[in-house]
Amino acid sequence: MSFYEECGSSQKYFSDAPSETSKTFRHSLKNDLERFFRSNLRGCDVILRCQNKDFPVHKSLICCKSPVFSAIFESDMKEKNLGIVEMDDTDSLTLNRFIEHLYLGSVTDSPIDLDSAMALYEIAHRYSILDLINYSRKILVLNMDCGNRDEMLQFANLYEDKSLENLIGNYFHHKEKIKRVGFKRNYFLTTLSLILFCCVVFSLIYVRCM
């Protein structure tokens, strides 16, 4: 087999199974990142401080993920000189989840309740981290019910988040639709039962009259 034929067969092999190869690579990379994250993040050069707790992170990663952090460390601010960012506008649990998502793309201590999801959305919005905003939106929708509809719409309006408003609207529209379908089905079954009952009664009366 010539060199060109060998290259051709190799290209065909990789083109025939890109999804499986890519899936395996992504799984391996995710495991490596998780081990790295769980190993106390060695080599960190920045501290995110919240409620007197220090959370070490890598400046290159947070600047890559967040244009807000990038602007902070590109300017001549105290955070750049000290290597410490004070984040007292959130709580330590939310910050820990925030950092975990930065490194892993997910949060492992699920399920997350509505208040926690709101807090996670707020910090994601504050630092302009789009994938975390999308992740938080999904959690917010999963925690919605008819009792907090107005609260959720006000929250979405506060952040001028049309995507979240649409998700909320679609969620409740779908829920109302299911409710109406359920009502119609129950009404139909009840009516059918009454008709059958009446038929049985009339049949018995007819038999007795005979």
Side-chain angles (χ1 to χ4, degrees), residues 176-210:
E176 287 295 327
K177 188 176 179 180
I178 293 174
K179 188 176 179 180
R180 286 196 300 270
V181 170
F183 173 78
K184 288 179 180 178
R185 183 187 176 195
N186 290 335
Y187 177 79
F188 172 77
L189 292 174
T190 302
T191 305
L192 182 61
S193 298
L194 286 172
I195 292 172
L196 292 173
F197 176 76
C198 290
C199 289
V200 171
V201 171
F202 289 143
S203 297
L204 291 173
I205 292 173
Y206 177 76
V207 170
R208 287 188 176 183
C209 291
M210 293 296 290

Side-chain angles (χ1 to χ4, degrees), residues 148-164:
N148 60 25
R149 178 176 184 172
D150 292 339
E151 179 187 3
M152 293 301 302
L153 287 171
Q154 289 174 3
F155 183 81
N157 186 58
L158 175 65
Y159 290 95
E160 300 179 347
D161 190 337
K162 296 297 181 184
S163 296
L164 181 56

Side-chain angles (χ1 to χ4, degrees), residues 26-79:
R26 286 198 304 269
H27 182 71
S28 175
L29 180 60
K30 184 177 180 180
N31 288 340
D32 289 342
L33 284 172
E34 187 161 0
R35 281 196 298 270
F36 177 63
F37 178 73
R38 305 297 177 196
S39 65
N40 296 321
L41 300 175
R42 293 170 186 154
C44 294
D45 48 359
V46 168
I47 288 174
L48 304 182
R49 181 170 292 166
C50 174
Q51 296 178 335
N52 297 320
K53 292 183 179 179
D54 289 348
F55 297 83
V57 293
H58 295 86
K59 181 168 66 176
S60 56
L61 184 136
I62 65 172
C63 289
C64 177
K65 299 282 285 185
S66 166
V68 177
F69 280 126
S70 181
I72 288 173
F73 289 105
E74 285 177 1
S75 60
D76 191 21
M77 299 176 68
K78 66 176 183 178
E79 287 84 357

Side-chain angles (χ1 to χ4, degrees), residues 97-207:
R97 288 170 171 162
F98 172 78
I99 295 170
E100 185 176 19
H101 194 279
L102 288 179
Y103 279 86
L104 305 180
S106 62
V107 177
T108 57
D109 63 335
S110 299
I112 300 175
D113 60 25
L114 182 61
D115 290 338
S116 298
M118 285 181 167
L120 195 58
Y121 178 94
E122 288 168 357
I123 192 172
H125 191 277
R126 189 176 303 121
Y127 291 95
S128 301
I129 301 176
L130 298 181
D131 56 344
L132 183 53
I133 290 174
N134 290 329
Y135 181 86
S136 303
R137 282 194 192 115
K138 294 175 184 177
I139 302 174
L140 287 169
V141 171
L142 290 173
N143 280 279
M144 286 192 303
D145 56 53
C146 294
N148 60 25
R149 178 176 184 172
D150 292 339
E151 179 187 3
M152 293 301 302
L153 287 171
Q154 289 174 3
F155 183 81
N157 186 58
L158 175 65
Y159 290 95
E160 300 179 347
D161 190 337
K162 296 297 181 184
S163 296
L164 181 56
E165 286 183 16
N166 291 335
L167 282 172
I168 295 169
N170 291 335
Y171 172 84
F172 285 109
H173 174 74
H174 182 66
K175 198 165 185 176
E176 287 295 327
K177 188 176 179 180
I178 293 174
K179 188 176 179 180
R180 286 196 300 270
V181 170
F183 173 78
K184 288 179 180 178
R185 183 187 176 195
N186 290 335
Y187 177 79
F188 172 77
L189 292 174
T190 302
T191 305
L192 182 61
S193 298
L194 286 172
I195 292 172
L196 292 173
F197 176 76
C198 290
C199 289
V200 171
V201 171
F202 289 143
S203 297
L204 291 173
I205 292 173
Y206 177 76
V207 170

